[in-house]
Amino acid sequence: MKNNPLNIVSVDTATLSPPKKTSTRDVAQAKFDRLWLQNPEQFDPTRNCMEKERLQRSLALIESQGALNGKIAVDLGSGKGDFSRLLRDKGAQVTAVDISANAIKAFEAAGNTEN
């Protein structure tokens, strides 16, 4: 599936001008970055059987609406990308988005961003 990559969206903060005051987005990003540093396992959807079942049911619900092959999907709050990879493996072209830079780093470290 060479022509079916996962796109990871991140913000290059080095190119942004500094905000004049702390925005709600900055506060949320800092919160989730901190949570990812403290305990990344809390965001792991494969950590127990109930979370694994939730992933499979979500995928089944989406597939019940039609085949994913060639469809475009966005995984908001993608974390380390488990659900993004499931969608990709079913043929969807997936864009993964997460507010936490640490989540995106975990996604990239997990590999398989392009197949």
Side-chain angles (χ1 to χ4, degrees):
M1 291 189 174
K2 273 282 190 215
N3 56 354
N4 195 7
L6 284 174
N7 302 310
I8 302 172
V9 178
S10 63
V11 176
D12 181 12
T13 55
T15 61
L16 298 175
S17 60
K20 292 183 174 85
K21 64 178 187 172
T22 304
S23 69
T24 305
R25 182 192 183 284
D26 293 334
V27 171
Q29 183 174 10
K31 174 186 173 185
F32 282 101
D33 280 341
R34 187 172 45 258
L35 289 171
W36 267 92
L37 285 176
Q38 291 172 345
N39 184 13
E41 290 79 27
Q42 69 183 319
F43 299 106
D44 184 1
T46 62
R47 69 183 176 269
N48 61 46
C49 61
M50 289 181 65
E51 291 297 315
K52 289 178 190 175
E53 179 68 18
R54 182 183 60 80
L55 280 182
Q56 292 304 318
R57 286 184 182 195
S58 297
L59 183 62
L61 178 64
I62 292 169
E63 284 185 304
S64 73
Q65 302 303 307
L68 287 170
N69 197 25
K71 302 288 187 199
I72 296 172
V74 177
D75 185 5
L76 300 174
S78 63
K80 66 182 185 107
D82 293 299
F83 194 63
S84 297
R85 288 185 182 88
L86 285 174
L87 293 170
R88 187 235 10 232
D89 293 345
K90 293 293 185 174
Q93 294 187 6
V94 182
T95 298
V97 180
D98 201 290
I99 194 168
S100 171
N102 293 324
I104 298 299
K105 287 176 188 172
F107 192 132
E108 292 170 337
N112 269 340
T113 53
E114 290 191 26
N115 263 346

